[in-house]
């Protein structure tokens, strides 16, 4: 076989083998309307020959000994279990010696059955499942196309996956409703024994609306308060038990690590999309004609990944930072956030400020003393869980000696009365 050049860095492609097709009609879904890009299309199923070519091309250019295939939608389970059996068979057929292949699938959970669970468990798929919290908060926007609630069906799918010991990463979209109930949301996930949590802030641009965003959009300050409230419980009770993506990312700079989540990296562009027909888009949030660089059936995947246009797209994230961002004390923790959310202006009138800026600043400033302490514990040879031991007894042990207006002994930087007093 003729040798093929490898990608210059790790990449993760969001594959859309069913396009934007979905069995739900979630009110805030940004991807459902992408079906209009392919009006007149009879089938949104990625054809077998294209599927094989996509798998082969990813395998050939993989730069590391491990390669992740990420199956997204729409709703990929609409393709049926046999389609994914075919995916695994193709991967095995073309996998060279020494390469480890990992599969992940993002689903709304409604179509999960015992057969699906047996398959993803046997093939070691990682599963991302969308749940927005307790029933009333989840069902506010995550509904069927005819308006019916979905929480019961999703929770049933989650419990089936848990029964088969499938690792489940819960994706919770934070919107105008559930943002007001951070502890109710978090404790619900604790009750169902969630192990991995990702909180995804909803930002929906709407030029015709007040403030330029939809009413469903999470207010920036409220999102910061939401993360802070959950973090305060997590840091005292759940370090090592529950992995919260935002908290993991907040801690990485203190550990001397780069961000793993594209939202907080200084440069992006290494998580493009391949649609059901092979079209290559620069990012999941930029699936528009001007961001389509070509088609993998006509242009090799490697050429698209390494193209000057794709590289420039990634660099633009850092090159277009506002002055406020460049001078911000938490820049290393945020890097301006996702470019799709840079729809606000600074107080000086400069465009390009992230809508979530105030919330990110509040959260990162709040958690930084704790993440620094966790990093210090690691350097001293202790697990980060030790921080819980330091925090829980601190208020009780030091309460008589601390004045209400003194700095809190936990090191948060807040006054004692507004932090650990009474906790």
């Amino acid at each position: 076989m003729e040798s093929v050049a490898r990608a210059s860095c790790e990449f993760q492609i969001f594959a859309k083998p069913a396009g934007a097709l979905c069995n739900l009609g979630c009110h805030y879904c940004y991807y459902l309307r992408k079906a209009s890009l392919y009006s007149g299309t009879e089938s949104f199923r990625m054809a077998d020959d294209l599927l094989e070519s996509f798998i082969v091309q990813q395998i050939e250019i993989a730069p590391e000994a491990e390669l992740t295939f990420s199956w997204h939608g729409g709703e990929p389970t609409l393709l049926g279990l046999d389609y994914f059996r075919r995916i695994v068979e193709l991967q095995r057929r073309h996998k060279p010696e020494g390469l480890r292949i990992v599969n992940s699938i993002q689903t709304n959970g409604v179509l999960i059955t015992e057969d699906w669970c047996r398959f993803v468990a046997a093939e070691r798929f990682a599963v991302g499942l969308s749940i927005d919290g307790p029933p009333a908060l989840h069902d506010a926007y995550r509904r069927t196309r005819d308006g019916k609630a979905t929480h019961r069906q999703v929770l049933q799918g989650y419990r089936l996956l848990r029964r088969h010991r499938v690792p489940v990463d819960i994706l919770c979209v934070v919107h105008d409703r559930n943002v007001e109930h951070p502890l109710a949301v978090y404790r619900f996930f604790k009750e169902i024994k969630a192990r991995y949590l990702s909180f995804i802030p909803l930002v929906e641009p709407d030029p015709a609306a007040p403030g330029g965003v939809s009413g469903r959009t999470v207010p920036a300050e409220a999102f910061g308060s939401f993360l802070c409230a959950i973090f305060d419980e997590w840091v005292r009770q759940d370090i090592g038990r529950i992995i919260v993506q935002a908290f993991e990312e907040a801690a990485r700079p203190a550990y001397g690590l780069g961000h793993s989540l594209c939202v907080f990296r200084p440069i992006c562009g290494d998580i493009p999309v391949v649609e059901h027909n092979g079209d290559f888009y620069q990012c999941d949030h930029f699936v528009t004609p001007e961001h389509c660089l070509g088609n993998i059936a006509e242009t090799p995947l490697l050429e698209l990944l390494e193209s000057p246009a794709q590289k420039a797209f990634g660099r633009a994230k850092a090159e277009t930072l506002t002055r406020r961002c460049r001078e911000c004390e938490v820049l290393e923790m945020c890097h301006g956030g996702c470019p799709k959310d840079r729809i606000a202006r600074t107080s000086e009138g400069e465009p390009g400020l992230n809508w979530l800026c105030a919330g990110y600043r509040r959260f990162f400033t709040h958690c930084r003393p704790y993440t620094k302490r966790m990093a210090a514990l690691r350097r001293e040879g202790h697990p980060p869980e030790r921080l819980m031991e330091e925090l829980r007894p601190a208020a009780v042990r030091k309460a008589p000696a601390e004045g209400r207006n003194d700095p809190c002994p936990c090191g948060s930087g807040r006054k004692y009365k507004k932090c650990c007093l009474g906790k």
Side-chain angles (χ1 to χ4, degrees):
M1 180 184 296
E2 183 180 350
S3 62
V4 177
R6 305 283 182 177
S8 60
C9 61
E10 287 189 83
F11 60 86
Q12 181 183 3
I13 296 174
F14 280 6
K16 310 275 187 172
L21 292 188
C22 189
N23 51 332
L24 300 187
C26 300
H27 298 176
Y28 55 60
C29 182
Y30 64 92
Y31 213 82
L32 281 174
R33 59 182 176 270
K34 302 303 179 183
S36 65
L37 294 171
Y38 302 99
S39 58
T41 299
E42 294 184 2
S43 173
F44 282 84
R45 177 185 183 276
M46 185 179 282
D48 287 354
D49 58 342
L50 180 61
L51 176 66
E52 184 167 12
S53 174
F54 172 63
I55 289 171
V56 169
Q57 289 191 63
Q58 279 212 73
I59 288 174
E60 286 181 339
I61 67 173
E64 305 290 341
E66 181 172 297
L67 172 63
T68 297
F69 283 86
S70 301
W71 307 102
H72 283 243
E75 177 51 44
T77 60
L78 283 172
L79 293 169
L81 191 48
D82 284 344
Y83 191 90
F84 281 84
R85 291 190 177 111
R86 171 70 172 161
I87 285 172
V88 171
E89 189 274 327
L90 288 170
Q91 290 172 341
R92 286 178 178 151
R93 180 189 304 173
H94 296 287
K95 185 182 79 69
E97 189 75 25
L99 179 68
R100 179 173 182 260
I101 289 179
V102 177
N103 284 287
S104 68
I105 184 170
Q106 179 61 38
T107 177
N108 58 42
V110 170
L111 299 179
I112 296 297
T113 62
E114 290 280 359
D115 285 345
W116 267 106
C117 290
R118 280 190 283 268
F119 170 77
V120 295
E123 300 299 340
R124 300 183 181 275
F125 272 56
V127 177
L129 186 66
S130 297
I131 310 178
D132 288 355
L137 298 175
H138 171 94
D139 289 331
Y141 298 129
R142 296 196 65 81
R143 292 183 167 268
T144 62
R145 289 184 175 272
D146 56 358
K148 294 179 182 177
T150 63
H151 191 272
R152 182 186 59 80
Q153 294 168 281
V154 176
L155 198 58
Q156 180 180 359
Y158 169 76
R159 287 172 173 157
L160 280 174
L161 290 164
R162 284 282 311 223
R163 192 181 305 160
H164 287 265
R165 299 183 179 181
V166 175
V168 179
D169 183 354
I170 289 179
L171 271 67
C172 172
V173 174
V174 184
H175 45 71
D176 67 312
R177 305 281 186 89
N178 58 5
V179 74
E180 299 297 333
H181 307 279
L183 293 183
V185 170
Y186 183 57
R187 289 170 183 171
F188 165 76
F189 290 136
K190 288 171 70 171
E191 287 172 8
I192 66 172
K193 296 180 172 53
R195 181 79 172 91
Y196 306 94
L197 293 176
S198 297
F199 293 112
I200 312 299
L202 176 65
V203 180
E204 288 184 315
D206 184 354
V213 294
S214 74
R216 291 187 290 259
T217 292
V218 61
E221 288 279 5
F223 182 60
S225 299
F226 176 92
L227 291 177
C228 288
I230 294 174
F231 181 85
D232 284 348
E233 180 158 317
W234 174 85
V235 80
R236 289 170 173 80
Q237 299 180 15
D238 301 315
I239 298 175
R241 293 181 55 248
I242 299 175
I243 296 173
V244 182
Q245 186 182 53
F247 305 164
E248 293 285 305
E249 291 297 323
R252 291 181 75 86
Y255 287 126
L257 302 172
H259 287 290
S260 61
L261 183 64
C262 63
V263 170
F264 299 131
R265 291 177 191 160
I267 295 174
C268 60
D270 54 358
I271 309 183
V273 162
V274 170
E275 254 286 347
H276 72 287
N277 70 334
D279 283 347
F280 179 101
Y281 293 91
Q282 293 180 298
C283 171
D284 191 41
H285 291 284
F286 291 86
V287 176
T288 58
E290 61 268 30
H291 290 282
C292 181
L293 300 188
N295 188 291
I296 66 167
E298 302 164 354
T299 307
L301 178 59
L302 179 63
E303 185 176 326
L304 295 166
L305 271 173
E306 303 284 345
S307 67
Q310 186 67 9
K311 298 297 184 183
F313 175 83
R315 290 193 305 270
K317 180 177 182 180
E319 294 169 351
T320 57
L321 283 173
T322 65
R323 178 178 177 181
R324 178 186 291 186
C325 288
R326 293 194 302 270
E327 297 175 353
C328 181
E329 65 274 14
V330 294
L331 175 61
E332 67 171 356
M333 304 175 82
C334 171
H335 291 289
C338 184
K340 78 176 179 65
D341 296 331
R342 295 180 180 180
I343 58 174
R345 289 178 178 268
T346 68
S347 56
E348 297 77 25
E350 184 180 3
L353 184 69
N354 196 299
W355 168 263
L356 299 163
C357 175
Y360 281 143
R361 282 171 64 92
R362 179 174 183 185
F363 168 62
F364 288 131
T365 301
H366 174 75
C367 73
R368 187 162 51 179
Y370 299 94
T371 59
K372 286 184 175 179
R373 180 57 185 151
M374 285 191 285
L377 286 169
R378 173 177 285 185
R379 288 193 297 269
E380 295 164 7
H382 303 297
E385 289 86 342
R386 183 160 178 173
L387 180 58
M388 294 188 293
E389 301 172 13
E390 295 181 358
L391 292 179
R392 282 204 295 262
V396 175
R397 186 171 60 250
K398 295 190 177 184
E402 302 292 338
R404 291 169 53 83
N405 292 310
D406 290 339
C408 185
C410 78
S412 67
R414 294 182 295 170
K415 290 182 178 180
Y416 181 54
K417 66 182 179 182
K418 293 187 176 181
C419 190
C420 288
L421 182 63
K423 289 189 179 180

